[in-house]
Amino acid sequence: MEAIKTTWGRIGRRGSRDWRLDLVGGQLVLTLPDRTLTLGPGAADEVRVVRRWLRYVVQVQLGSDMRTLTGIGRRPAERLQTFLAAWAQVAAITAWARQVLAVAGRAESDGRWITIETIRQLVDSRPRGDTGRGPVDTVWGLLGEVEQEAVRLWRLDLVRWSVEVNQRVLRAELTARGDLFQRVETTPLTFEQACAVVCMDNRVSVVAAAGSGKTSVMVARTAYAIARGFVAPERILLLAFNQDAAKELQQRLQRRLAAVGVSADGVTASTFHAFGLSVIGQVTGRKPRVASWVDGGQGQDKILRIVDRLRDSSERFRYAYDTYRLLYARTSDNPKGTDGDIWHRDTRSARHRTFSGHLVRSQGEKIIADFLYLNGVDFAYERPFTIDTATAEHGQYHPDFYYPAVDVWHEHWALDAQGRPPADFHGYAEGMAWKRQLHQDAGTQLIETTWASIMGADGLVAFGAQLTAAGLTLEWNPDRPSADRDAVPASHEDMARLLRTFMAHVKAGDLTEEAVEAKLRASPGLNTARTRHFLSVYWPVHRAWQQALTDEGAVDFEDMLVTAGQMLETRAAQLPYDMVLVDEFQDTSQARARIVRALVDQPGKYLLTVGDDWQAINRFAGADITIMREYRHWFGPGPMLRLTTTFRCTQEICDVSSAFVAKNDRQIGKTVTASAGPGGDRVRLRYSASNTVTAVRAAVAAELDRISESDQSPGNGTRPASVLILGRYRHDDRFVPAQLPAGLTVTFKTVHGAKGLEADYVIVANMTRGRLGFPSEVADDPVLNLAMAAPDPYPHAEERRLFYVALTRARHQVVLISVRERESVFVAELLNEGKLEPVEVDATSGDLVASTVQACARCGLGVMVQRVSAHGPFLTCSTFPDCRATINIPQQRSKPVRPSSRRR
């Protein structure tokens, strides 16, 4: 600064009122008749400009005395006032900047990451003021270099600034700790892995591609934190989702930390359940015991025993349970109903199978027909009405049901609780009026029901009363055998599975009856008679389950997690963990998330989670994918890092699987690269000769022979090739050949069971469409949405992720086994995009030839198959009647015709 920048005051006059205020060398110098004082940049606390009536004075605090200086004009006083305010702000900014720079200096000298907690503290302590042009600019020319740099720092985005500092820390640590990163795992850490280790922020989310070494990050981060002295071993907790994973983590920690001279003694690796038990034991002084039927995996059997007891003791429960199982377990809540389960050629429409053998048009009619059959009521379906109503424009009238024993007709209307038909049922009300008038004119007796009136046990009671009033006798027999062997109701085991699944979600969400009722009232789409019917069955089972736990003095897994979470949230449990690492984070439930949040919900804690939302396949078991997607909402801000290099799959498998699963844009994006470089065998589609179990098994056997003959040891000449045969369901193990080729190790797993596994080759044995195909068409009961995490709205979202898991188990090649005209929609999609290499057995020669299968260009969900009509052969979509695309086959082959919408 210059020696003197400006002057205020009255120096030169006589008397005690003479004074002068100068800015000299960055300090205020006050000259009085009796003394000279030097004031620092915080002079606003000692010098103030005060307006008194029509004049200004300057007040100076001299120790305990206040000196009032007069004789300053209005404009000099205002300039002095502005200067003092700006000068005080600069002083505060300069002091704050020294703290910020000290933090950065320590971070770079100590090689320690600046955490979001530290940044938040610095942001909170930042001096107030307009960081744009403001009072500080009025004194900018008077500031020294230090003060100007301080103001520049004050005006920066501190988060962006910290990122730059942390990048310098990262580069230095990657060099300084290179030996640890080279040796802590059997292969050196990748750049991405090492970055995730060094990034010692308070909240770090690692999104890890399949086979990208997420466990290596957890192990290396533990070693790094201990070696650097950031966290003591006994204050580190690693949480896994099952005992095998927790045991593997503990063993790997001991082995790999020892390899770099770091002791893992004191580090805890645990399952969530074991950890929850320890929390409860610490607080209560008595570690609880898991109920024998829960620990032994017999939960569904326990539900069956509870149901049997309740059915024996309560007629009301028996009727509610039986009617739900037999009539409602496989229905929707929509008056329009679900698609039929069989195509009726005569009427060219989808129909529903019934216990009586009738094929009916709607879901509501199916419920009624099955109710009548189980009550032993004789009826005719769509019998022509007594009066001939056929005209040139309209066909004969066929009421829905007719009861010959009492000469009564029955119409069932697709009306909701408000008396409204589905929006696309045009002219429905007029048709209802015409039919009612027809019956009135003919003098025939008509029973009427609506979708809303028959839903739920009480609705069936009212319908039964209508039938009884008409003179019919009802003899309810829930065990009456079905006349149509394909019309199969939900089994008792199905019901037990549904009740247990619903219970697990209710308990994990800590939902009481009152909470469920409140959720019903807030969700009109869920608050249906069918849902309330289910709850009338569920709550007695729930209460009996809880009583059984009490009687045994035990807990189940859900109660254990919820209770442990509550104890941690209320600080009833004080646990000595400063760093928490969570594996398979995409499978986290809300109960688990509450435990994790409570563990790190204090200053100075570190959380690292690793997972892959592309592999989120356990919603049915309580996983809530939104926790990973809404990470900041649950745990606070922090960096999201990615591991995108896979050490498992070829680039061909990476490209096919990633493009397939990433179509759901709600998922976290990433580009996966194979460490082995580009290339690899194409994903192979093998058609079996037919859809019989024998033929599919033969196709699997043929592929095993091919693998055995072509390459027994991909990448390793000392071991046989490994093959995983995967099925969507356990019963797909029937496709595994009895005789396996020598030189291969072959294992069957469901795709869910294969999570975390890998093999040289993967064969997916049942890539067909259908209820038990892949994707599975077994729909979850809609009542589960009352307790489960919200479903992903993307079509087949979880099944697509499950298929991604199947594809990414393979190191060398994936083989899909399918059946012509029954191809999975996933197969059709990949064929449509040219992602598969299809082959099949030639029917004449028996040789394996390239398949000429053509995907449907209209829907992309089926393939074109040949049919023959009265006009000759043509191609139609295999998903018919859902898609009615056709292609003509001219006698002289020419260019294919664009798909049309011709009806068959």
Side-chain angles (χ1 to χ4, degrees):
M1 283 189 181
E2 297 179 13
I4 297 179
K5 282 291 185 182
T6 189
T7 300
W8 299 269
R10 295 174 52 86
I11 288 295
R13 296 191 179 187
R14 296 179 179 179
S16 62
R17 296 193 305 172
D18 288 351
W19 59 277
R20 190 173 71 192
L21 189 64
D22 299 303
L23 180 63
V24 181
Q27 293 181 314
L28 283 173
V29 178
L30 176 63
T31 303
L32 298 171
D34 58 343
R35 71 183 75 177
T36 299
L37 300 173
T38 300
L39 307 174
D45 293 334
E46 304 171 47
V47 180
R48 294 186 295 276
V49 177
V50 180
R51 183 174 181 177
R52 289 184 175 176
W53 298 100
L54 298 177
R55 65 192 181 107
Y56 288 86
V57 299
V58 178
Q59 292 181 339
V60 182
Q61 189 70 41
L62 302 175
S64 59
D65 296 331
M66 175 73 74
R67 181 75 62 89
T68 300
L69 308 175
T70 61
I72 188 170
R74 178 177 63 84
R75 290 192 176 184
E78 290 174 347
R79 287 197 301 271
L80 177 58
Q81 193 171 38
T82 299
F83 171 82
L84 291 173
W87 198 241
Q89 188 176 19
V90 168
I93 290 171
T94 304
W96 172 83
R98 289 195 191 98
Q99 296 177 5
V100 175
L101 294 173
V103 167
R106 287 194 298 272
E108 295 194 57
S109 62
D110 297 344
R112 183 158 188 170
W113 198 268
I114 302 178
T115 66
I116 198 70
E117 271 184 14
T118 301
I119 297 302
R120 186 179 296 137
Q121 292 168 359
L122 293 174
V123 169
D124 290 345
S125 65
R126 183 202 300 260
R128 305 290 181 187
D130 182 4
T131 57
R133 291 194 61 83
V136 171
D137 293 283
T138 64
V139 297
W140 182 260
L142 307 179
L143 302 182
E145 184 177 342
V146 172
E147 289 83 1
Q148 287 183 350
E149 284 301 315
V151 171
R152 291 190 185 99
L153 181 58
W154 175 68
R155 286 174 166 167
L156 285 178
D157 179 337
L158 208 59
V159 174
R160 288 186 61 184
W161 170 86
S162 69
V163 168
E164 295 175 3
V165 177
N166 281 334
Q167 287 302 305
R168 294 196 293 272
V169 171
L170 173 63
R171 288 191 292 270
E173 284 295 281
L174 291 179
T175 300
R177 316 299 162 188
D179 183 62
L180 186 148
F181 298 151
Q182 288 282 322
R183 297 190 299 113
V184 70
E185 284 285 270
T186 54
T187 58
L189 298 187
T190 67
F191 176 74
E192 289 178 326
Q193 291 172 328
C195 289
V197 170
V198 174
C199 181
M200 287 290 294
D201 215 326
N202 301 112
R203 305 289 183 268
V204 180
S205 170
V206 177
V207 181
S212 61
K214 60 183 178 58
T215 306
S216 294
V217 169
M218 298 179 71
V219 170
R221 187 180 177 87
T222 303
Y224 177 73
I226 296 172
R228 294 298 323 278
F230 295 156
V231 186
E234 65 274 9
R235 303 189 73 84
I236 299 176
L237 171 67
L238 294 89
L239 290 170
F241 278 77
N242 58 58
Q243 291 181 350
D244 289 342
K247 184 178 179 180
E248 180 191 351
L249 263 178
Q250 192 75 61
Q251 293 174 345
R252 194 155 159 182
L253 284 167
Q254 294 285 350
R255 187 170 61 252
R256 298 317 310 165
L257 267 62
V260 290
V262 176
S263 173
D265 293 345
V267 177
T268 301
S270 172
T271 65
F272 275 92
H273 290 137
F275 178 72
L277 284 175
S278 68
V279 170
I280 299 172
Q282 184 205 68
V283 174
T284 64
R286 186 181 181 85
K287 189 175 181 178
R289 181 175 60 84
V290 178
S292 57
W293 70 85
V294 173
D295 200 30
Q298 304 300 312
Q300 290 182 25
D301 292 339
K302 182 69 173 179
I303 294 288
L304 286 171
R305 293 194 293 273
I306 289 173
V307 166
D308 284 344
R309 190 164 62 249
L310 290 172
R311 290 178 77 224
D312 290 342
S313 61
S314 169
E315 284 296 326
R316 182 176 179 81
F317 177 87
R318 174 187 286 270
Y319 188 70
Y321 173 86
D322 287 344
T323 52
Y324 192 88
R325 179 179 73 85
L326 295 167
L327 303 177
Y328 297 108
R330 290 179 177 166
T331 63
S332 76
D333 287 311
N334 190 333
K336 192 174 180 179
T338 59
D339 295 332
D341 46 23
I342 187 172
W343 180 253
H344 195 254
R345 292 186 179 274
D346 294 339
T347 62
R348 295 179 180 272
S349 63
R351 293 293 183 102
H352 297 261
R353 299 180 185 274
T354 65
F355 301 154
S356 61
H358 293 87
L359 297 177
V360 299
R361 293 177 182 272
S362 72
Q363 184 176 250
E365 291 175 351
K366 171 178 167 54
I367 293 171
I368 290 172
D370 289 344
F371 178 77
L372 295 171
Y373 180 77
L374 293 172
N375 276 287
V377 175
D378 182 37
F379 68 93
Y381 179 69
E382 292 191 333
R383 173 176 289 189
F385 190 54
T386 306
I387 298 174
D388 185 4
T389 63
T391 67
E393 292 81 20
H394 301 285
Q396 173 64 28
Y397 168 45
H398 293 258
D400 295 329
F401 298 94
Y402 174 68
Y403 305 110
V406 292
D407 190 26
V408 171
W409 303 87
H410 176 186
E411 279 289 359
H412 176 70
W413 314 117
L415 303 179
D416 62 17
Q418 287 72 43
R420 300 171 303 196
D424 57 347
F425 280 25
H426 304 297
Y428 197 78
E430 292 80 357
M432 290 173 58
W434 179 83
K435 293 173 183 178
R436 285 168 173 163
Q437 187 63 50
L438 183 62
H439 282 282
Q440 184 176 341
D441 294 343
T444 52
Q445 185 176 350
L446 176 67
I447 288 177
E448 298 183 52
T449 56
T450 68
W451 169 262
S453 73
I454 66 164
M455 292 301 289
D458 293 340
L460 288 179
V461 170
F463 174 48
Q466 284 182 280
L467 297 174
T468 302
L472 292 167
T473 300
L474 275 62
E475 297 178 353
W476 174 254
N477 179 6
D479 298 320
R480 198 182 303 273
S482 173
D484 183 343
R485 65 180 184 179
D486 292 321
V488 181
S491 66
H492 291 288
E493 290 73 20
D494 291 335
M495 280 295 292
R497 189 178 303 111
L498 172 62
L499 290 165
R500 180 67 185 109
T501 301
F502 189 80
M503 179 185 293
H505 290 284
V506 164
K507 291 162 73 70
D510 200 17
L511 298 174
T512 62
E513 289 190 50
E514 294 75 19
V516 170
E517 180 62 30
K519 196 170 182 179
L520 272 178
R521 290 195 298 268
S523 308
L526 296 174
N527 192 5
T528 64
R530 181 180 180 278
T531 300
R532 292 192 175 277
H533 185 172
F534 172 79
L535 292 175
S536 73
V537 175
Y538 170 74
W539 287 118
V541 174
H542 180 104
R543 288 189 286 268
W545 176 284
Q546 290 302 103
Q547 186 60 51
L549 290 176
T550 301
D551 294 344
E552 194 172 311
V555 296
D556 59 21
F557 292 132
E558 293 81 27
D559 284 344
M560 180 174 59
L561 291 177
V562 169
T563 302
Q566 291 170 342
M567 289 175 171
L568 290 167
E569 288 170 340
T570 59
R571 303 286 192 269
Q574 297 290 333
L575 297 175
Y577 299 116
D578 292 330
M579 190 167 83
V580 178
L581 304 95
V582 185
D583 194 12
E584 301 288 2
F585 193 66
Q586 75 279 352
D587 292 332
T588 297
S589 64
Q590 293 212 12
R592 289 180 173 91
R594 287 175 61 185
I595 287 176
V596 173
R597 181 173 60 187
L599 280 169
V600 298
D601 192 23
Q602 296 180 54
K605 304 291 186 181
Y606 300 93
L607 171 64
L608 176 93
T609 62
V610 291
D612 182 9
D613 66 327
W614 289 6
Q615 299 183 72
I617 59 173
N618 288 315
R619 177 175 175 261
F620 72 96
D624 187 348
I625 195 173
T626 62
I627 295 170
M628 187 169 181
R629 293 176 181 168
E630 299 172 3
Y631 192 91
R632 290 190 168 206
H633 169 76
W634 274 89
F635 306 104
M640 175 185 287
L641 308 178
R642 288 169 171 79
L643 302 182
T644 61
T645 300
T646 178
F647 301 95
R648 178 187 301 155
C649 305
T650 64
Q651 191 62 50
E652 176 69 19
I653 294 174
C654 288
D655 292 343
V656 172
S657 60
S658 297
F660 177 84
V661 76
K663 289 177 183 174
N664 183 351
D665 60 9
R666 291 170 59 88
Q667 294 169 165
I668 301 169
K670 56 182 175 288
T671 300
V672 185
T673 304
S675 63
D681 291 340
R682 296 194 67 196
V683 178
R684 182 178 174 93
L685 170 64
R686 170 71 178 256
Y687 279 111
S688 71
S690 71
N691 64 350
T692 65
V693 172
T694 301
V696 175
R697 187 188 297 130
V700 173
E703 284 300 309
L704 290 173
D705 288 339
R706 180 186 65 85
I707 293 169
S708 177
E709 294 168 2
S710 63
D711 189 350
Q712 295 203 5
S713 307
N716 185 346
T718 63
R719 64 172 176 83
S722 58
V723 182
L724 263 178
I725 300 177
L726 300 181
R728 177 60 183 83
Y729 291 100
R730 288 191 181 91
H731 67 254
D732 288 337
D733 63 358
R734 67 190 190 278
F735 300 123
V736 179
Q739 299 295 323
L740 299 175
L744 298 181
T745 59
V746 181
T747 306
F748 173 82
K749 292 283 185 181
T750 65
V751 185
H752 279 100
K755 179 73 172 64
L757 302 180
E758 59 184 64
D760 296 318
Y761 294 87
V762 164
I763 298 176
V764 188
N766 189 23
M767 290 302 300
T768 58
R769 68 177 65 242
R771 189 168 181 272
L772 299 179
F774 198 174
S776 168
E777 294 177 11
V778 177
D780 289 335
D781 193 302
V783 300
L784 291 175
N785 290 325
L786 187 59
M788 290 174 71
D792 191 324
Y794 195 87
H796 297 303
E798 186 143 340
E799 291 288 307
R800 292 181 74 88
R801 292 192 289 268
L802 192 62
F803 186 49
Y804 172 80
V805 169
L807 294 173
T808 55
R809 299 310 93 195
R811 288 189 284 261
H812 189 59
Q813 188 182 38
V814 179
V815 180
L816 309 179
I817 306 295
S818 192
V819 178
R820 265 202 175 275
E821 301 186 16
R822 297 188 66 235
E823 292 93 339
S824 158
V825 295
F826 293 167
V827 168
E829 180 178 327
L830 293 176
L831 281 170
N832 196 40
E833 296 171 352
K835 299 289 180 61
L836 298 179
E837 179 187 16
V839 296
E840 61 186 325
V841 177
D842 184 89
T844 303
S845 66
D847 296 333
L848 201 63
V849 295
S851 175
T852 56
V853 64
Q854 177 181 355
C856 176
R858 171 173 294 176
C859 70
L861 302 177
V863 298
M864 304 307 289
V865 298
Q866 183 167 319
R867 298 283 187 261
V868 178
S869 72
H871 304 287
F874 66 98
L875 298 178
T876 186
C877 181
S878 60
T879 67
F880 178 85
D882 295 333
C883 174
R884 303 194 179 192
T886 61
I887 298 178
N888 295 324
I889 303 179
Q891 291 186 359
Q892 297 296 325
R893 299 290 293 190
S894 59
K895 293 182 179 180
V897 195
R898 185 181 299 276
S900 69
S901 58
R902 187 179 84 189
R903 294 178 59 90
R904 290 184 63 238

